[in-house]
Amino acid sequence: QVQLVESGGGLVQAGGSLRLSCAASGRTISSYVMGWFRQDPGKEREFVAGISRNGYYTSYADSVKGRFTISGDNAKNTVLLQMNSLKFEDTAVYYCAIDRNSALIPPTTPDQYDYWGQGTQVTVSS
């Protein structure tokens, strides 16, 4: 059984930074593609960033490229999302997820991921 627990969300002013963490148990994150998604009320869940097996390949949504960085800390079995230069439109609940089947390129659709955390709220004031 796999469990994912996100943390690090909060309230921040536009231009500020937050670091989200996703701690995993029951799986070794280096063996799986991991993704970060976000969802605002009334909107579909959207891809934010992904990282390949072994953590050497990363991808980002155009809206966050250059501002967000995804990385893995294998010693802590944790995937991180560093968010800089935050904008009001970044406000959402952020989720991390595991894809058991992909190897290199992280899928951008939520239905291709198998396990999800409970989410952490990020609110950016403007």
Side-chain angles (χ1 to χ4, degrees):
Q1 184 177 356
V2 64
Q3 291 183 322
L4 301 172
V5 180
E6 302 97 332
S7 62
L11 175 64
V12 64
Q13 291 185 347
S17 298
L18 286 172
R19 189 185 73 170
L20 305 184
S21 298
C22 177
S25 62
R27 293 286 190 274
T28 300
I29 61 167
S30 62
S31 298
Y32 298 95
V33 165
M34 301 285 294
W36 282 98
F37 288 76
R38 65 188 182 188
Q39 187 168 21
D40 221 11
K43 298 181 179 180
E44 295 183 354
R45 189 166 297 188
E46 66 173 342
F47 174 79
V48 176
I51 188 166
S52 69
R53 295 176 187 257
N54 302 312
Y56 55 83
Y57 177 86
T58 58
S59 61
Y60 300 90
D62 288 342
S63 60
V64 307
K65 192 173 297 182
R67 300 188 297 119
F68 291 10
T69 303
I70 187 171
S71 62
D73 185 340
N74 291 338
K76 298 179 180 179
N77 206 36
T78 299
V79 63
L80 306 173
L81 185 68
Q82 179 66 46
M83 306 186 296
N84 298 326
S85 301
L86 283 162
K87 304 174 180 179
F88 175 76
E89 51 264 41
D90 295 319
T91 296
V93 177
Y94 283 70
Y95 301 88
C96 67
I98 290 175
D99 174 11
R100 297 178 298 173
N101 300 312
S102 298
L104 178 62
I105 300 174
T108 59
T109 55
D111 59 5
Q112 292 187 264
Y113 289 80
D114 303 289
Y115 301 102
W116 295 84
Q118 84 288 350
T120 185
Q121 176 71 49
V122 172
T123 303
V124 183
S125 63
S126 179

